[in-house]
Amino acid sequence: MSALTADRKTPYREDITYSIGVAGASKIFAGSIVAINSSGYAVPASDTAGLRVIGRAEEQVDNSAGANGDKSVLVRKGVYKVASSGLTIADVGKVALVSDDQTISILDTTNNIVAGVIEAIDSATEAWVRLGLSIGVRVVKTSLSYKAVAVTVAASATSGSSAADADLEGGEILGIYSTGNQDQLIDSVVRNADGSVTVTLAVAAVANNTFKVVVLRATG
C-alpha cells in the first residue's frame, strides 16, 4: 500500500466486551484491571511475569473454589480512570505499567507488565488509561549491566544449575570463575530460557565445585 492522496473512509470498531474464562482459584472484582495469564485465563492484573492486560471487569466473578474456566467474566476494553501516584501532565502519552488490579505506575516495576497508554491526567493520583494495549506492546530495556550468578555442581554430579531468574532471560554469558573447590574441567556453561544458568563438568565432581557465572543483562 502507498500513502493516501485523498480522504479515506477508514473502518473502525467501538470498544467491545469479551467473555473470558477465569483462572482457577481467582476472584475478579467489578471495575478492576483484568489480565490473562500464560494459559489464556483471566486473572486480576498484577506485576506478575507473563500477564497481558485486556481491559476492565464489567462484573464480579468469584472462581476461588473452581478450576480454570469454570466461570467466565465480561471484560471491556476502553479508557478508564485508575489510581497512581506522582503523576503530572507530562505523563500523558506514556506507557502505564501494572502495580495491582486498580493501580498503575509510570516507573519501572519488577516485571514491567503494560496496562496501556495514559490519555489524560486528573490529578497526581488519578489517570485515564486506555486499557488492553499490552498485547503486542513491550517495554524495551536499553541499559546494560552484569550479574554474577552462583552455581554449584554437587559431589558425584556432572552438572548444576542456578535458580530461574527473569532478569537474565535473553542475557549473554560473559565468563565463569571458581569460588572454591574445582576438581574437574568445565565442559559447558549455558544460560537457559528461564534465566537459570547450568554448568556442566567433563566428568563427575569429586567434591562440590562452586562457581560464579557472569551474565550480561538488560536492566532498563
Side-chain angles (χ1 to χ4, degrees):
M1 299 292 289
S2 57
L4 291 173
T5 58
D7 296 339
R8 178 177 188 268
K9 186 177 181 180
T10 302
Y12 71 97
R13 296 177 67 181
E14 298 287 351
D15 292 325
I16 58 177
T17 300
Y18 302 89
S19 179
I20 300 173
V22 177
S26 297
K27 183 176 182 179
I28 295 175
F29 291 97
S32 65
I33 304 172
V34 179
I36 55 174
N37 60 22
S38 58
S39 298
Y41 292 100
V43 295
S46 64
D47 184 24
T48 300
L51 296 189
R52 294 174 291 172
V53 170
I54 53 173
R56 185 196 71 173
E58 298 293 283
E59 56 186 344
Q60 181 185 131
V61 176
D62 188 352
N63 197 31
S64 301
N68 287 339
D70 280 356
K71 295 184 179 181
S72 296
V73 63
L74 292 176
V75 180
R76 181 182 293 273
K77 296 174 65 174
V79 181
Y80 300 103
K81 183 185 286 188
V82 297
S84 189
S85 61
L87 299 173
T88 71
I89 191 66
D91 295 320
V92 172
K94 289 185 178 179
V95 172
L97 303 175
V98 174
S99 294
D100 56 42
D101 62 355
Q102 67 168 334
T103 313
I104 59 96
S105 173
I106 56 172
L107 302 177
D108 275 0
T109 59
T110 300
N111 294 292
N112 285 341
I113 304 303
V114 178
V117 176
I118 297 174
E119 295 204 352
I121 301 294
D122 272 8
S123 69
T125 59
E126 294 180 315
W128 290 90
V129 175
R130 181 170 292 278
L131 299 177
L133 299 182
S134 65
I135 298 175
V137 177
R138 185 174 182 176
V139 176
V140 178
K141 296 184 175 182
T142 56
S143 299
L144 298 176
S145 68
Y146 68 88
K147 184 174 184 179
V149 181
V151 179
T152 297
V153 181
S156 301
T158 57
S159 66
S161 300
S162 62
D165 187 341
D167 282 349
L168 300 185
E169 293 177 9
E172 295 291 336
I173 293 174
L174 296 181
I176 182 172
Y177 59 93
S178 175
T179 57
N181 176 64
Q182 180 185 352
D183 53 48
Q184 302 298 338
L185 295 175
I186 297 170
D187 185 62
S188 65
V189 183
V190 177
R191 178 197 54 77
N192 303 306
D194 63 359
S196 63
V197 176
T198 298
V199 176
T200 301
L201 303 180
V203 295
V206 175
N208 286 357
N209 283 220
T210 58
F211 306 94
K212 284 288 183 71
V213 179
V214 181
V215 183
L216 184 70
R217 59 177 182 162
T219 57

